[in-house]
């Protein structure tokens, strides 16, 4: 059936996890399954991100309400700055309309693949199962430590930091071991893995046998980083996306982050007669992976000739930076992304105007969800097959995708002066020169 195939292909782009699970009871481990996780950090990561995640179980009897709760707002009582950053991050939006509408047309197993990374806690999956009336949804309402809206919190605090009601995190800056008496929620377990790029790879890297397009893994970000100078110099994902341990996770939707990845040079040189030869170079100097990382975003680069009234009189250069695929993900149309440290040089020419006041306009337009825009719109052709709630969510998803567009760069250079432009933005981190 064509519609089912299209939906499954959409899920293949949207999901970050690859393993199937079913909804689980809200409680199954006795007293939170207490006991330290042991082994190397590799062993720790294998256990920490062993999908499907096990239920947390009943909280210890001596925990206060906030200590026991899986609600991000309870974490905010002590970790206010982290919570405020997280609220503005993409991690807090991983269960937006763009993913939720699909659950109305997917099977439970297909939906749980998406939730492995979008909403990975077993308790979150159980709440989704109740909301959608899946056959094995828990019959009882969740206990107090599981808020009714936990599944809408997306990649919430507990998804990374709580297992069996134990708290895990990076090594403490003041050197606390986590075993000191009197600490909240029974102390914590510091692990260096939280500062390791492998921690992020659990959701930002497909396995070698994962879905591919034209022989390339659809999500290969960790491997791209491994091949970059960033990995050579020990600059992890967290260094850029969690500066000073802030829970920001800025990326393609953030103009400053996008600009920090680029170095731009534009130079003009006299050609024959009244012609000016132009060279525009764009380099990926600040992203430790392909720019952009996935097939979803699109960046349009325009260099245009402007008359004295700022009207566009000629498009000198138009270049698209994107891994573009057909909406059904069966065909790669092109891949012009910039690997870490690489650049593209674009050439153009103009005939110099005779009167003053003319200029060149350089702009970069970013569509962070361009692939989804096309795919969601394609789904609208099947609107008559959708129930009203599914259709409403799809319409919201289209609106949100379009609203995410922005202009990252806009510069104007007078042709009354020599054409030379060098743009260097504040990098997330500085690499040593060798």
């Amino acid at each position: 059936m064509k519609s089912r195939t299209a939906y499954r292909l959409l899920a293949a782009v949207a999901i970050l996890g690859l393993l199937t699970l079913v909804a689980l009871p809200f409680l199954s481990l006795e007293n939170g399954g207490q006991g330290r996780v042991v082994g190397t950090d590799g062993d720790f990561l294998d256990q920490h991100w062993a999908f499907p995640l096990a239920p947390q179980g009943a909280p210890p009897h001596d925990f206060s309400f906030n200590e026991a709760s899986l609600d991000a707002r309870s974490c905010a009582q002590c970790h206010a700055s982290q919570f405020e950053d997280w609220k503005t991050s993409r991690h807090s939006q991983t269960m937006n309309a763009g993913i939720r509408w699909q659950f109305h047309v997917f099977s439970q197993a297909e939906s749980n693949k998406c939730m492995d990374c979008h909403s990975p806690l077993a308790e979150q999956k159980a709440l989704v199962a109740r909301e959608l009336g899946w056959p094995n949804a828990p019959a009882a309402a969740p206990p107090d430590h599981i808020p009714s809206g936990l599944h809408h919190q997306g990649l919430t605090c507990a998804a990374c930091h709580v297992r069996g009601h134990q708290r895990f995190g990076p090594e403490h800056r003041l050197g606390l071991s986590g075993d000191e008496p009197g600490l909240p929620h029974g102390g914590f377990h510091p692990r260096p893995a939280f500062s390791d790029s492998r921690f992020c790879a659990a959701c930002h890297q497909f396995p070698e046998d994962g879905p591919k397009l034209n022989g390339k893994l659809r999500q290969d970000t960790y491997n791209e980083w491994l091949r970059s100078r960033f990995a050579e110099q020990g600059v992890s994902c967290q260094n850029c996306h969690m500066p000073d341990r802030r829970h920001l996770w800025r990326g393609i939707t953030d103009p400053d982050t996008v600009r920090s990845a680029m170095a731009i040079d534009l130079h003009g040189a006299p050609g024959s007669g009244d012609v000016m030869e132009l060279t525009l170079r764009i380099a990926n100097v600040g992203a430790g992976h392909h720019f952009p990382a996935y097939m979803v975003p699109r960046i349009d680069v325009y260099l245009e000739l402007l008359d004295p009234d700022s009207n566009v009189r000629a498009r000198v250069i138009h270049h698209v930076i994107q891994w573009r695929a057909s909406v059904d993900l069966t065909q790669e149309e092109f891949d012009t992304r910039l690997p870490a440290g690489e650049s593209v040089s674009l050439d153009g020419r103009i005939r110099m105007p005779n009167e003053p006041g003319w200029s060149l306009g350089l702009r970069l337009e970013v569509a962070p969800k361009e692939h989804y825009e096309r795919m969601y719109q394609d789904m609208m052709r099947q609107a008559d097959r959708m129930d009203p709630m599914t259709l409403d969510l799809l319409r919201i998803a289209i609106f949100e995708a379009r609203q995410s567009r922005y202009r990252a760069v806009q510069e104007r250079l007078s042709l009354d002066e020599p054409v030379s432009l060098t743009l260097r933005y504040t990098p997330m981190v500085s690499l040593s020169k060798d």
Side-chain angles (χ1 to χ4, degrees):
M1 181 176 174
K2 182 179 179 181
S3 60
R4 170 61 76 185
T5 300
Y7 288 136
R8 284 175 174 163
L9 288 167
L10 176 57
V13 175
I15 65 171
L16 298 178
L18 295 172
L19 303 178
T20 303
L21 65 154
V22 295
L24 297 164
F26 287 117
L27 302 176
S28 66
L29 299 180
E30 290 298 323
N31 197 34
Q34 298 296 301
R36 281 186 179 274
V37 175
V38 296
T40 67
D41 259 24
D43 293 336
F44 167 76
L45 286 169
D46 287 343
Q47 297 175 59
H48 198 75
W49 292 122
F51 296 117
L53 301 186
Q56 303 293 336
H61 302 299
D62 57 347
F63 270 22
S64 67
F65 175 82
N66 281 330
E67 288 174 314
S69 178
L70 300 178
D71 193 337
R73 292 168 295 187
S74 291
C75 303
Q77 301 306 306
C78 292
H79 303 282
S81 62
Q82 290 88 345
F83 174 77
E84 291 301 318
D85 282 347
W86 169 82
K87 281 199 309 182
T88 69
S89 77
R90 297 293 297 163
H91 281 184
S92 71
Q93 301 166 34
T94 57
M95 284 290 282
N96 60 12
I99 190 73
R100 284 171 26 231
W101 77 268
Q102 299 174 60
F103 296 167
H104 291 259
V105 295
F106 289 169
S107 69
Q108 182 175 359
E110 291 168 323
S111 299
N112 277 318
K113 288 182 182 180
C114 303
M115 285 189 286
D116 269 354
C117 285
H118 282 260
S119 190
L121 295 175
E123 292 79 5
Q124 292 177 303
K125 296 180 175 71
L127 288 167
V128 172
R130 280 176 57 85
E131 184 176 281
L132 297 180
W134 285 340
N136 60 341
D144 290 343
H145 71 281
I146 303 173
S148 59
L150 181 66
H151 54 312
H152 293 307
Q153 292 185 7
L155 193 63
T156 191
C157 310
C160 289
H161 292 288
V162 182
R163 296 292 183 270
H165 286 286
Q166 298 179 89
R167 269 56 175 182
F168 296 86
E171 293 173 301
H172 198 274
R173 284 174 163 168
L174 298 180
L176 296 182
S177 68
D179 290 324
E180 290 79 4
L183 292 176
H185 43 65
F188 63 94
H189 306 285
R191 300 302 304 234
F194 278 81
S195 301
D196 190 317
S197 290
R198 291 176 297 172
F199 192 92
C200 309
C203 283
H204 291 275
Q205 176 65 49
F206 282 160
E208 289 305 314
D209 61 351
K212 296 181 179 179
L213 183 64
N214 196 22
K216 295 176 285 192
L217 285 170
R218 292 180 189 165
Q219 187 160 233
D220 204 26
T221 312
Y222 176 75
N223 283 339
E224 292 165 3
W225 170 82
L226 280 177
R227 296 189 292 266
S228 75
R229 287 180 58 202
F230 287 74
E232 292 176 7
Q233 298 187 18
V235 178
S236 69
C237 306
Q238 294 87 335
N239 289 131
C240 292
H241 296 286
M242 297 184 68
D244 197 32
R245 294 190 178 181
R246 293 191 63 184
H247 288 51
L248 295 168
W249 300 292
R250 300 287 188 257
I252 191 65
T253 60
D254 178 61
D256 287 336
T257 301
V258 167
R259 285 189 287 264
S260 74
M262 297 183 295
I264 300 175
D265 296 280
L266 173 63
H267 296 288
S272 60
D274 58 355
V275 170
M276 176 180 286
E277 304 285 350
L278 297 162
T279 300
L280 174 64
R281 178 179 178 271
I282 300 175
N284 175 5
V285 297
H289 46 72
H290 283 21
F291 173 73
Y294 308 131
M295 66 177 62
V296 177
R298 173 184 172 118
I299 301 171
D300 284 86
V301 181
Y302 297 99
L303 184 65
E304 297 166 322
L305 179 63
L306 308 177
D307 67 20
D309 295 322
S310 299
N311 299 309
V312 176
R313 301 300 292 270
R315 181 160 291 167
V316 185
I317 292 173
H318 177 211
H319 179 70
V320 178
I321 305 174
Q322 183 182 25
W323 186 11
R324 185 179 173 93
S326 58
V327 293
D328 62 2
L329 299 179
T330 60
Q331 298 292 326
E332 175 186 277
E333 298 179 15
F334 57 82
D335 187 355
T336 54
R337 294 174 299 163
L338 298 176
E342 296 192 12
S343 64
V344 60
S345 290
L346 310 168
D347 297 323
R349 60 175 54 187
I350 59 170
R351 192 171 298 279
M352 291 294 287
N354 294 322
E355 65 271 17
W358 287 66
S359 60
L360 289 171
L362 172 66
R363 56 190 174 93
L364 271 70
E365 307 285 353
V366 182
K369 301 180 180 181
E370 192 274 342
H371 185 93
Y372 288 150
E373 289 184 45
R374 288 185 287 124
M375 191 172 282
Y376 294 159
Q377 198 59 53
D378 188 65
M379 293 297 107
M380 286 298 295
R381 295 187 301 173
Q382 303 169 36
D384 59 341
R385 304 183 190 181
M386 301 179 192
D387 62 75
M389 181 177 294
T390 305
L391 186 57
D392 284 347
L393 284 170
L394 179 55
R395 285 172 173 156
I396 293 171
I398 293 173
F399 174 79
E400 290 177 344
R402 290 173 176 168
Q403 287 295 108
S404 68
R405 290 176 171 246
Y406 62 89
R407 182 169 295 172
V409 174
Q410 182 165 359
E411 299 287 339
R412 187 166 179 169
L413 294 86
S414 172
L415 289 176
D416 299 332
E417 301 173 359
V419 173
S420 182
L421 174 69
T422 299
L423 297 177
R424 299 290 186 271
Y425 302 96
T426 303
M428 292 293 179
V429 295
S430 295
L431 294 179
S432 63
K433 296 180 180 180
D434 48 30

